[in-house]
Amino acid sequence: MVVLGGFGADTATIKASGAAVISYDPLAVGREGTPRNNKQGAFYSVYGSSSSTGLLMAWAWGASRIIDVIEQSGGGILRADAIGVTGCSRYGKGAFAVGAFDQRIALTMPIESGTAGLPIYRGVPGESGAQPLSSAYSEQPWLGDAFGSFTGNPATLPVDTHEIVAMVAPRGLFVMENPHIDWLGARSGSVAALGGAEVYKALGAGSNISYWSDVQDGNHCAVRSEWKAPLQQNIRKFLLRTGNDPGVIRVSGKKAGNLAEWRNWQTPILTGQP
């Protein structure tokens, strides 16, 4: 399990479940606190400090290089086909990007990722207290430079984050959210998860996605008892391959989005197609 920045799913539970933990420092690959025209870190040493690529994709690139090394090691210590990724807060945004853009990731677990993570861009402006798109864009160069033209009108975006969820499908995805902190935009996050879950269903993989925001502890990035059992189940299913527990959707009533308000399409059946 690749853990971004030391903040992710409970490492004690991960290790006790039989999986190894790789501590990944994404800031060495894409540093925060830099201007957009002078980005720093290993990614920008390769592609240039003025690269328009944002930090989240730089972090995903770095995680992919870790997997390259694991693949080349021959599987004697770690298995390249049994890798997960997790992170919380800004590193939850990063974990979401890693899982979406490298199909070698078997299990993706973003936690409390907030704006620029899971929450749908179109929903954030209408969700009371959620971090505005312009704020997330300017706080750090997480998003690519091109996103700047969409912060005031996300409806003009050709995509939204439910489609990033769909990029992970049919691989394992366990999203953990905190409904007690408005800034995190968990209502918009639930819409993304529910919309993406329809793609999982269309692929015949509806049991491979879990979403859980129904928690009592409101502290940011806390270790929560509600997540322990599904965490263990996901590790067994997607990394150890010793279980086959179905996914679970537990949306908090405090931040429950309504997919029907956004969807004007019907879910097709895609299984059995070339």
Side-chain angles (χ1 to χ4, degrees):
M1 182 68 65
V2 178
V3 180
L4 273 69
F7 295 100
D10 180 26
T11 54
T13 298
I14 293 170
K15 292 177 181 178
S17 299
V21 169
I22 296 174
S23 296
Y24 167 41
D25 178 13
L27 300 183
V29 180
R31 191 176 306 154
E32 292 188 332
T34 62
R36 287 188 172 272
N37 62 358
N38 189 25
K39 302 184 183 80
Q40 301 295 314
F43 177 90
Y44 301 102
S45 295
V46 176
Y47 294 103
S49 61
S50 61
S51 168
S52 62
T53 300
L55 296 184
L56 300 183
M57 282 306 304
W59 296 352
W61 175 88
S64 292
R65 303 293 71 77
I66 292 173
I67 301 172
D68 289 346
V69 173
I70 295 172
E71 280 187 330
Q72 293 162 16
S73 71
I77 300 174
L78 299 174
R79 288 172 44 195
D81 64 347
I83 297 173
V85 62
T86 188
C88 188
S89 196
R90 66 193 62 207
Y91 300 130
K93 307 179 203 298
F96 191 36
V98 172
F101 284 93
D102 197 320
Q103 295 194 20
R104 296 172 296 181
I105 295 289
L107 174 60
T108 302
M109 297 194 297
I111 304 171
E112 303 180 42
S113 58
T115 304
L118 190 77
I120 55 169
Y121 303 127
R122 287 163 170 78
V124 165
E127 182 169 349
S128 177
Q131 183 177 19
L133 297 173
S134 58
S135 171
Y137 180 78
S138 61
E139 180 178 343
Q140 299 290 345
W142 293 319
L143 294 157
D145 295 355
F147 194 87
S149 60
F150 297 103
T151 57
N153 188 11
T156 60
L157 278 164
V159 297
D160 216 316
T161 58
H162 67 297
E163 291 168 290
I164 303 178
V165 173
M167 289 172 66
V168 181
R171 294 169 289 131
L173 176 63
F174 178 23
V175 176
M176 291 160 269
E177 282 204 295
N178 181 352
H180 302 285
I181 300 176
D182 292 343
W183 192 249
L184 297 173
R187 177 173 290 113
S188 295
S190 72
V191 175
L194 294 171
E198 292 299 306
V199 177
Y200 272 83
K201 293 175 187 176
L203 294 171
S207 65
N208 287 358
I209 181 173
S210 292
Y211 174 89
W212 198 306
S213 63
D214 187 14
V215 296
Q216 296 300 312
D217 185 343
N219 290 321
H220 189 36
C221 294
V223 173
R224 308 181 196 282
S225 59
E226 296 97 333
W227 293 341
K228 184 172 183 177
L231 173 58
Q232 293 169 325
Q233 290 167 357
N234 276 274
I235 290 171
R236 285 196 299 264
K237 182 174 183 178
F238 297 107
L239 302 189
L240 305 179
R241 296 177 188 147
T242 58
N244 195 31
D245 295 281
V248 59
I249 304 293
R250 286 282 297 271
V251 182
S252 168
K254 290 176 63 72
K255 294 287 183 178
N258 183 359
L259 180 60
E261 294 179 358
W262 300 95
R263 181 169 70 167
N264 59 2
W265 43 269
Q266 296 298 315
T267 303
I269 297 174
L270 302 177
T271 54
Q273 300 300 314

